[in-house]
Amino acid sequence: MTQVPPIPELPAFLARMHLLAAEVSEASDVYAAGLRLWKEAGRAVEVGKLAGDLCALWGALTGWAELKPDEADKAEAAMRQAAQDWLGLNQADRCAFEGYLDHWLHDICGYERS
C-alpha cells in the first residue's frame, strides 16, 4: 500500500491531541477529560480540517453524555474507545486519520457523509 503524505497540521497540535487522548483513555472522569480535548481542538480550528473534525467529534461525544444522561456510561465508553483508537494511529499515515474520522464522525456520531 502506498503511503500518502502526512497530515500538514502542526506537529505541536498532534502532540497535544495525543496527550489529551491519553488523559481520556486513563481518566477516572472521562467526561471532564473529553471536554478538555474538545475545547483544545476548538481553540485550534485554524490549524486545519483535522482540528475542526476533532472538535466536531468530541463535541458530539461529550454532548451525548450531556443530552442523554441515562446513556452517560455508553457515551463515556465511546469516549474512552475513541481516545484509544486515536492513540493507536500511525501519525505519519493520512489514510489512518481519514479512516478514524470516517468511522467516529459518521458511523458512531451520526454525521452525514457528503
Side-chain angles (χ1 to χ4, degrees):
M1 182 170 140
T2 305
Q3 195 173 33
V4 291
I7 293 176
E9 279 80 3
L10 297 174
F13 172 74
L14 291 176
R16 182 72 178 139
M17 291 297 100
H18 191 84
L19 179 67
L20 290 168
E23 280 184 27
V24 172
S25 74
E26 299 171 3
S28 57
D29 188 345
V30 177
Y31 171 77
L35 272 179
R36 284 191 295 278
L37 199 155
W38 168 70
K39 288 176 184 177
E40 188 73 21
R43 280 193 284 274
V45 292
E46 74 281 350
V47 168
K49 183 179 181 320
L50 177 61
D53 287 345
L54 287 174
C55 184
L57 165 60
W58 286 92
L61 292 175
T62 55
W64 178 10
E66 291 169 8
L67 298 172
K68 296 182 178 180
D70 57 315
E71 295 181 20
D73 289 344
K74 288 169 118 176
E76 289 180 0
M79 284 182 232
R80 195 177 302 276
Q81 187 62 55
Q84 291 168 350
D85 289 356
W86 174 266
L87 294 170
L89 291 176
N90 174 354
Q91 292 206 2
D93 185 354
R94 177 184 293 274
C95 290
F97 282 99
E98 290 172 358
Y100 170 88
L101 291 168
D102 181 71
H103 172 69
W104 281 98
L105 285 171
H106 305 294
D107 297 338
I108 304 300
C109 295
Y111 286 99
E112 274 190 45
R113 286 181 171 88
S114 49

